[in-house]
Amino acid sequence: MAQIQFDAKSVEQFVGANELKEIQPLITMADQELRNGTGAGSDFIDWLNWPSDYDKEEFARIKAAAKQIQSDSKVLVVIGIGGSYLGAKMAFDFLHPSFNNELADDQRKGVKVYFAGNSMSASYINDLIRVIGDQDFSVNVISKSGTTTEPSIAFRVFKQKLIEKYGEAAAKKRIYATTDAKKGALHDEAQAAGYETFVIPDGIGGRFSVLTAVGLLPIAASGADVDQLMAGAKSAQEEYTETDLTKNAAYHYAALRRILYDKGYTTELLINWEPSLQYLSEWWKQLMGESEGKNQKGIYPSSANYSTDLHSLGQYIQEGRRDLFETVVTIDQPNTDLDVPKTADNGDGLQYLEGKTINEVNATAAQGVVLAHLDGGVPNLAIRLPKQDAFTLGHLIYFFELAVGISGYTFAINPFNQPGVEAYKTAMFALLGKPGYEEETKAFRARLNK
């Protein structure tokens, strides 16, 4: 039985049944390239079987480390950027109450989790230091190389704070490093200092790494159920094996995205109706954008948070350029609900909503918006989640990872590299005067001084 429901009924007026039949050979080819390891980037497809093949010994160490963090700390500072950050943040928001860090200790399952190293803002770092205050804390630094600018700066700051608070020897016991198994600056420092270390697998790229130690340690420390997270991913691995796209929801989604792209719908908006799903969209944007955006091809991934963004982006979506489509994520059984209060008068005009719950209003609004956007020429795909729990999230993560792997191969690109990312790094390092970039420094400064 499917753990999530993919619904394409609202796209039928834009995509004919014959088009699905015509794209099936392309989907079959992509499936063979992915599963046989014959496609571009095949060195980075270990995520494909990871839900069943993950390192069980390290998984046990992750859970033990999470318990240790919970026993000696009130706060865990997670330092990372991109794939070393977005997956854990997405899961934290998805699996916990909206204000989890503000709850009293006896109302919260695990430690407070804060994220750093995802920007170069001194104000953000100083604000976080003030929030931590005198609370006991630990650090999970996540970096394959250990030299990425943003997390490396943040790690220097919080390592210094640990040393100031606990002394050098005790500070080392509060640092957990997730990094390369054999090499890199962070690996070498962790080995020399004796930090407890977890591995970023060589065969899994950053944007696919949330189900590895990269995401699992902070998720477990937060009190979420990582066993159920992995079980959900395994259920998806077992479910999405059919090559026939009419029997494989992940392939169906990939196929429809490609058909819409070929018709000129080049921007996809991932839509949510719950604030706790906002970072699902942020994680998804990196997964899709970094995988597909190559060789002047690919669907541009964007997002909107409804109903909030209906008051800012709604006009454009309804009547702007017809180059976008929506994939709407909804939850059948939200974790909590609330009745619309009854009042003696009807000054706000909401008496017609009395007797309903806020979730009912939200769900009905979502249906109405889909109808309006369809009338406005916006294709709509739907992903319905049964619950907002760890099992469902694990299943959804694998659904999107598999879909983009298939979709990427239909574009005849390597979905698992990110060569364009190096361009901005080169310019940034050169202008900052990093050793080894002297020629680039001269060239970029000359361009700026023109």
Side-chain angles (χ1 to χ4, degrees):
M1 180 179 178
Q3 299 303 320
I4 68 174
Q5 296 291 329
F6 175 65
D7 187 350
K9 291 186 181 67
S10 295
V11 83
E12 290 176 354
Q13 68 192 72
F14 303 94
V15 177
N18 65 301
E19 293 178 275
L20 285 171
K21 292 180 180 178
E22 293 296 331
I23 204 171
Q24 179 65 67
L26 186 60
I27 297 297
T28 300
M29 177 205 70
D31 171 84
Q32 292 171 348
E33 287 188 316
L34 180 62
R35 297 190 185 276
N36 295 336
T38 57
S42 60
D43 289 345
F44 289 91
I45 61 171
D46 286 357
W47 57 269
L48 189 62
N49 296 315
W50 188 256
S52 55
D53 292 350
Y54 66 92
D55 185 334
K56 309 304 189 295
E57 181 180 342
E58 181 174 66
F59 188 75
R61 286 202 305 114
I62 288 169
K63 292 197 292 182
K67 288 183 178 179
Q68 179 61 40
I69 293 167
Q70 291 167 353
S71 72
D72 66 19
S73 299
K74 295 291 186 184
V75 170
L76 175 65
V77 178
V78 181
I79 298 175
I81 196 168
S84 297
Y85 149 65
L86 288 170
K89 173 61 173 168
M90 173 253 303
F92 182 82
D93 285 5
F94 189 100
L95 298 174
H96 294 295
S98 296
F99 305 100
N100 193 64
N101 283 341
E102 281 70 48
L103 293 176
D105 291 346
D106 60 357
Q107 297 182 44
R108 193 179 55 251
K109 291 182 179 180
V111 297
K112 303 174 186 179
V113 178
Y114 295 102
F115 296 87
N118 48 68
S119 72
M120 287 186 284
S121 168
S123 294
Y124 180 94
I125 292 174
N126 278 318
D127 289 346
L128 179 52
I129 290 170
R130 289 177 63 194
V131 166
I132 295 171
D134 292 331
Q135 298 177 93
D136 287 316
F137 74 101
S138 295
V139 167
N140 177 206
V141 56
I142 307 167
S143 176
K144 185 78 169 173
S145 66
T147 59
T148 305
T149 307
E150 297 91 339
S152 294
I153 291 173
F155 183 42
R156 282 195 177 198
V157 172
F158 285 99
K159 179 170 57 176
Q160 183 181 58
K161 292 297 178 183
L162 283 172
I163 293 170
E164 290 172 358
K165 185 175 179 66
Y166 301 105
E168 192 162 350
K172 292 175 181 178
K173 296 179 180 179
R174 291 176 172 271
I175 296 174
Y176 300 83
T178 307
T179 188
D180 191 271
K182 299 178 181 178
K183 63 183 185 301
L186 181 56
H187 167 271
D188 294 346
E189 178 179 340
Q191 292 296 306
Y195 307 152
E196 182 158 8
T197 307
F198 300 95
V199 174
I200 301 175
D202 288 336
I204 300 179
R207 59 189 177 275
F208 290 85
S209 68
V210 62
L211 297 177
T212 72
V214 170
L216 292 177
L217 178 56
I219 294 169
S222 77
D225 191 336
V226 291
D227 289 292
Q228 281 296 296
L229 188 71
M230 297 305 294
K234 186 177 180 181
S235 76
Q237 179 190 346
E238 294 170 347
E239 180 175 340
Y240 304 128
T241 56
E242 291 276 0
T243 304
D244 185 345
L245 63 86
T246 66
K247 299 177 181 178
N248 186 323
Y251 286 16
H252 193 188
Y253 172 58
L256 287 170
R257 294 176 76 248
R258 180 56 200 264
I259 292 170
L260 290 169
Y261 174 84
D262 288 340
K263 289 173 177 280
Y265 298 100
T266 56
T267 295
E268 179 179 10
L269 293 170
L270 193 72
I271 305 298
N272 69 75
W273 284 82
E274 287 287 345
S276 57
L277 302 188
Q278 180 175 349
Y279 266 85
L280 171 67
S281 297
E282 297 304 312
W283 169 81
W284 173 88
K285 284 192 285 190
Q286 182 189 7
L287 180 69
M288 296 296 179
E290 207 167 75
S291 295
E292 290 185 338
K294 291 151 195 170
N295 299 340
Q296 290 75 54
K297 302 176 185 177
I299 298 167
Y300 180 76
S302 189
S303 63
N305 307 302
Y306 291 169
S307 59
T308 304
D309 285 338
L310 290 174
H311 296 262
S312 56
L313 299 175
Q315 173 62 40
Y316 187 94
I317 294 169
Q318 189 70 37
E319 295 184 347
R321 288 174 58 89
R322 300 298 78 185
D323 58 358
L324 56 85
F325 66 98
E326 294 175 302
T327 297
V328 183
V329 180
T330 57
I331 301 165
D332 289 343
Q333 297 178 341
N335 291 331
T336 64
D337 205 349
L338 192 64
D339 292 332
V340 176
K342 296 181 179 181
T343 59
D345 57 45
N346 191 32
D348 56 11
L350 295 182
Q351 201 167 56
Y352 73 102
L353 296 179
E354 292 179 3
K356 301 181 187 296
T357 70
I358 293 177
N359 283 334
E360 286 180 80
V361 176
N362 201 33
T364 304
Q367 294 171 342
V369 170
V370 168
L371 293 175
H373 287 180
L374 288 174
D375 290 344
V378 181
N380 259 254
L381 303 172
I383 296 173
R384 290 173 47 202
L385 310 182
K387 298 178 180 178
Q388 196 167 339
D389 60 13
F391 190 95
T392 301
L393 180 59
H395 194 104
L396 183 64
I397 287 168
Y398 192 89
F399 172 90
F400 279 133
E401 289 179 345
L402 182 59
V404 80
I406 293 297
S407 179
Y409 281 141
T410 70
F411 283 106
I413 52 95
N414 179 350
F416 307 116
N417 67 353
Q418 52 278 341
V421 172
E422 300 307 314
Y424 88 83
K425 288 183 179 180
T426 297
M428 183 174 70
F429 291 156
L431 292 175
L432 287 171
K434 185 174 182 177
Y437 288 79
E438 289 76 14
E439 292 301 318
E440 291 87 348
T441 299
K442 293 178 182 178
F444 282 117
R445 291 199 181 283
R447 288 171 60 184
L448 290 174
N449 291 329
K450 280 185 178 180

